[in-house]
Amino acid sequence: MSAAEPDARPLYHGARAQLRPGDRVGDGERPVYCTPSLDAAIWAAELAEGDAPPRVYSVVPRGPLEEGAAQADPGPPPHLAMALRSRAPLEVTGEVTQWTHYHGTRADLRPGDAITPGHKANFGSSPRLANHVYFARTLDAAIWGAELAAGDGPGRVYIVAPTGPYEDDPNLTNARFRGNPTKSFRSRAPLRVVGEVADWRGHPPATVQRMREHLARLDRAGVTADD
């Protein structure tokens, strides 16, 4: 995208600042960042400095946009970054408070099906039953779940609705980044399948292989999943 081209996509900005519609982000001197990827904005909010709650805002740039750094950290797990920047401020139009929840697996499911604890775990070297069901607010986390799940069937990503209380997934909290940057959760209550994401794009094969090797190293080191 050239600097002169307008961007008609919804754009997001992740931060820990408390903002309201009409507020502006940026001073016109240093570049400010935004992204069409909700996942990247969530990462930016979780990794932002400060102790206030992470927040994701819908924004409109008040000047031309240019491509910034699309990938801040290529190692596992990949760290998505806000990829567009502007010297002009961003105007806040609202805050994202309604979330879609995703579950990645190889199981063939239909709307209305329930995903319940007590089945063979998708991950880990030793056979065990999962005490929880897992889901995420970031599509990227669910895509990883689909790609790394045990089994030979095709990876599937489902839109799900939790039916009971849930908590941060401890396996993805404060292990490498503070907080819960992938917005991954677990619950002892079933997940209800609402629909399937049919047009998701997987990671490059070499990236998936690096992740598998990373998980194998953790396994050899005795690092096991907390379930």
Side-chain angles (χ1 to χ4, degrees):
M1 185 185 67
S2 69
E5 246 177 359
D7 199 312
R9 298 170 292 178
L11 296 173
Y12 305 100
H13 176 80
R16 290 184 181 269
Q18 186 170 357
L19 304 171
R20 293 178 174 80
D23 287 350
R24 296 202 169 192
V25 181
D27 55 14
E29 297 182 1
R30 292 171 297 181
V32 289
Y33 290 81
C34 61
T35 174
S37 166
L38 189 56
D39 285 13
I42 290 172
W43 269 92
E46 289 282 350
L47 300 180
E49 294 182 357
D51 297 320
R55 299 175 183 272
V56 174
Y57 298 100
S58 300
V59 295
V60 173
R62 290 308 176 195
L65 290 172
E66 62 183 8
E67 297 288 346
Q71 187 78 22
D73 179 1
H79 161 194
L80 301 174
M82 294 192 290
L84 302 176
R85 65 189 176 195
S86 174
R87 294 281 177 180
L90 307 172
E91 183 172 328
V92 175
T93 60
E95 183 175 354
V96 179
T97 58
Q98 300 295 319
W99 303 96
T100 301
H101 293 128
Y102 304 98
H103 176 82
T105 181
R106 295 187 187 275
D108 186 6
L109 303 171
R110 298 289 184 272
D113 287 351
I115 303 172
T116 60
H119 295 281
K120 183 178 178 181
N122 268 328
F123 304 96
S125 58
S126 58
R128 59 188 177 83
L129 299 182
N131 297 314
H132 299 82
V133 287
Y134 293 81
F135 61 98
R137 288 178 184 168
T138 54
L139 180 59
D140 189 63
I143 289 173
W144 276 116
E147 291 174 324
L148 299 175
D152 299 321
R156 314 286 284 269
V157 175
Y158 297 100
I159 300 171
V160 297
T163 63
Y166 55 87
E167 62 184 2
D168 286 354
D169 177 359
N171 299 293
L172 297 171
T173 300
N174 291 335
R176 179 172 180 179
F177 302 105
R178 68 172 181 152
N180 185 1
T182 60
K183 284 298 181 199
S184 298
F185 306 97
R186 71 180 187 179
S187 176
R188 292 185 182 272
L191 304 175
R192 179 171 54 85
V193 176
V194 176
E196 183 173 358
V197 180
D199 58 351
W200 58 274
R201 181 179 297 178
H203 300 95
T207 302
V208 176
Q209 182 58 34
R210 283 202 305 273
M211 180 64 88
R212 291 187 184 279
E213 292 169 355
H214 173 69
L215 295 176
R217 286 194 297 271
L218 292 178
D219 185 58
R220 289 194 297 271
V223 179
T224 58
D226 179 356
D227 194 22

